[in-house]
Amino acid sequence: MTQDRSFAVNRLSVTICLIGFLAIILIFAFICLTFAAAFAGLAMEFPQHLGESVMCFFAAVIFGGVLGIVCAYAGSLFKTLTVGGPALIVSSEGFKYCVASDDVIPWKEIKDVTFAGGFGTRKTAVMLRFQIESGFSDTLHWRSRIANSFKPETIAVRFLYIKAPKAEIQEALLRPLQSKPVQASCDLSSKADMLLGQ
């Protein structure tokens, strides 16, 4: 990949997010263990407390599932901090968002792009979401184990994790979609033009 531009990891933001996720992990682990202990206690008095024990069991499973998702996301943030290097690399071939994956996302594999996470405007949006071709998304190696299992068809570049002004990141990611060598579809090129104009 011939590197045109690279953007460093915003280590302060990633560290603060990681601390927040660790706090959430502790809270959910406590809740999950509380429901599991309640289920174990109520199961001893089966069948008198059947309804309560079933409810505690399902609550423990639900909170455990959420805990797993939060742990996977915190793990990908931790990998971002420990690996080092840039958070985002943009080239004529595509871009590599190292927070999510170490693979290059070629411009030709992008189907759609939108601002997300805010009220839909450039000023309030917290990320650029790229929809990628399903066949290509199946080949990507994601940093998160959960994402690696589900192989999502979108990659969200979060401005918070990149040490650069939001406008500069948007320009670097959207401008290539308008260039002739990329050969993006007319719809995608006009969408990039519209997003840059907001």
Side-chain angles (χ1 to χ4, degrees), residues 31-46 49-61:
I31 293 170
C32 187
L33 289 173
T34 302
F35 277 116
F39 168 72
L42 291 169
M44 300 292 226
E45 300 173 15
F46 186 80
H49 298 284
L50 178 64
E52 292 96 336
S53 63
V54 168
M55 188 177 73
C56 287
F57 172 77
F58 282 112
V61 169

Side-chain angles (χ1 to χ4, degrees), residues 124-158:
T124 56
V126 296
M127 68 181 97
L128 261 174
R129 180 173 289 144
F130 293 90
Q131 185 176 0
I132 50 182
E133 294 288 347
S134 57
F136 178 74
S137 69
D138 291 341
T139 66
L140 285 176
H141 299 290
W142 300 90
R143 286 198 174 203
S144 163
R145 288 182 182 174
I146 291 175
N148 229 3
S149 301
F150 289 103
K151 301 290 187 185
E153 293 181 19
T154 59
I155 184 163
V157 178
R158 295 180 183 275

Side-chain angles (χ1 to χ4, degrees), residues 9-44:
V9 175
N10 187 343
R11 296 193 177 281
L12 179 61
S13 294
V14 173
T15 303
I16 290 169
C17 289
L18 193 54
I19 290 168
F21 276 112
L22 291 176
I24 293 168
I25 287 169
L26 288 174
I27 291 166
F28 274 88
F30 176 76
I31 293 170
C32 187
L33 289 173
T34 302
F35 277 116
F39 168 72
L42 291 169
M44 300 292 226

Side-chain angles (χ1 to χ4, degrees), residues 7-198:
F7 300 89
V9 175
N10 187 343
R11 296 193 177 281
L12 179 61
S13 294
V14 173
T15 303
I16 290 169
C17 289
L18 193 54
I19 290 168
F21 276 112
L22 291 176
I24 293 168
I25 287 169
L26 288 174
I27 291 166
F28 274 88
F30 176 76
I31 293 170
C32 187
L33 289 173
T34 302
F35 277 116
F39 168 72
L42 291 169
M44 300 292 226
E45 300 173 15
F46 186 80
Q48 292 92 344
H49 298 284
L50 178 64
E52 292 96 336
S53 63
V54 168
M55 188 177 73
C56 287
F57 172 77
F58 282 112
V61 169
I62 289 167
F63 280 104
V66 173
L67 179 65
I69 292 169
V70 174
C71 284
Y73 195 75
S76 68
L77 284 181
F78 182 73
K79 285 179 188 173
T80 301
L81 274 179
T82 54
V83 168
L88 176 67
I89 300 170
V90 181
S91 78
S92 55
E93 301 163 26
F95 72 92
K96 185 195 294 189
Y97 181 51
C98 302
V99 176
S101 173
D102 287 322
D103 295 334
V104 176
I105 312 296
W107 300 118
K108 63 179 184 171
E109 300 294 343
I110 295 171
K111 290 198 303 189
D112 192 21
V113 59
T114 54
F115 284 124
F119 296 105
T121 66
R122 185 178 186 179
K123 290 181 181 175
T124 56
V126 296
M127 68 181 97
L128 261 174
R129 180 173 289 144
F130 293 90
Q131 185 176 0
I132 50 182
E133 294 288 347
S134 57
F136 178 74
S137 69
D138 291 341
T139 66
L140 285 176
H141 299 290
W142 300 90
R143 286 198 174 203
S144 163
R145 288 182 182 174
I146 291 175
N148 229 3
S149 301
F150 289 103
K151 301 290 187 185
E153 293 181 19
T154 59
I155 184 163
V157 178
R158 295 180 183 275
F159 304 129
L160 180 67
Y161 301 152
I162 303 170
K163 194 173 187 178
K166 188 192 296 186
E168 195 178 328
I169 300 165
Q170 291 169 185
E171 178 78 19
L173 288 169
L174 294 173
R175 191 63 67 195
L177 294 173
Q178 298 176 304
S179 65
K180 286 183 180 177
V182 168
Q183 295 178 343
S185 68
C186 291
D187 289 341
L188 187 57
S189 182
S190 59
K191 183 85 176 273
D193 191 43
M194 182 192 74
L195 293 174
L196 279 168
Q198 284 183 354

